[in-house]
Amino acid sequence: MFTGIVSANLHHLIVVTLCASLGMFGFWLIQYKTKDASLVDAAWAMGIALAGIYCWAVLPYADLRHDLIAWIVVGWSARLAYYIGKRCLKSPHEDKRYRNMREYFGHRAQSAFFVFYQAQALFIVLFVFPLFLALQTSSSSI
């Protein structure tokens, strides 16, 4: 059942993947310039919200069930992004986890952060994939 659904709309999943990767690349560039990776968590959560909005807007079914599913995911991730972003912007220092990562990798830190940011893009796609599937099934097919 899901094979036909996914293949028919695979281009939308590719768009989500490319946008997530480009978005996280942009945040990696900000981190490269500021030497502060703290915003990656907020960027990841906002990436889920934006990908959820995209899936909701372009996928075929439009009914109350699909709207509720999409807006629960979008609401959760946007709220998470807001609170993490607010915390990061208040703090003048880089999050301890990322400071430790920077120290651990030393001169290879920027390469490690690039891989880490792209892994976050992959996690955006993985978190949105169940929504991607749910928005393509009719209520009667569950």
Side-chain angles (χ1 to χ4, degrees), residues 3 5 29 60 67 69 92-93 100 105 108 110 114 119 134-135 140 142:
T3 307
I5 292 170
L29 288 174
D67 293 347
I69 292 169
H93 304 291
N100 291 342
F105 284 104
R108 297 174 301 150
Q110 290 305 330
F114 181 80
L135 293 178
S140 62
I142 294 179

Side-chain angles (χ1 to χ4, degrees), residues 56 59-71 134-142:
W56 171 78
L59 292 173
Y61 290 102
D63 62 19
L64 181 59
R65 175 185 160 271
H66 293 94
D67 293 347
L68 288 174
I69 292 169
W71 290 107
L135 293 178
Q136 294 179 75
T137 57
S138 67
S139 298
S140 62
S141 66
I142 294 179

Side-chain angles (χ1 to χ4, degrees), residues 42-58:
W44 169 80
M46 188 50 64
I48 293 170
L50 294 173
I53 291 169
Y54 174 79
C55 289
W56 171 78
V58 300

Side-chain angles (χ1 to χ4, degrees), residues 85-135:
K86 186 175 160 182
R87 183 196 71 208
C88 291
L89 294 174
K90 279 185 178 181
S91 175
H93 304 291
E94 183 175 41
D95 186 296
K96 184 179 177 181
R97 296 169 296 161
Y98 303 122
R99 243 188 348 246
N100 291 342
M101 188 174 166
R102 194 175 301 283
E103 290 172 14
Y104 178 80
F105 284 104
H107 71 280
R108 297 174 301 150
Q110 290 305 330
S111 298
F113 276 115
F114 181 80
V115 171
F116 177 70
Y117 275 63
Q118 291 306 302
Q120 296 301 307
L122 176 62
F123 284 120
I124 290 170
V125 176
L126 292 175
F127 269 68
V128 170
F129 190 70
L131 177 64
F132 176 78
L133 292 176
L135 293 178

Side-chain angles (χ1 to χ4, degrees), residues 2 12-13 38 47 50-51 79 83 87 114 116 142:
F2 286 123
H12 294 304
L13 196 58
S38 300
L50 294 173
R79 181 179 180 274
Y83 283 106
R87 183 196 71 208
F114 181 80
F116 177 70
I142 294 179

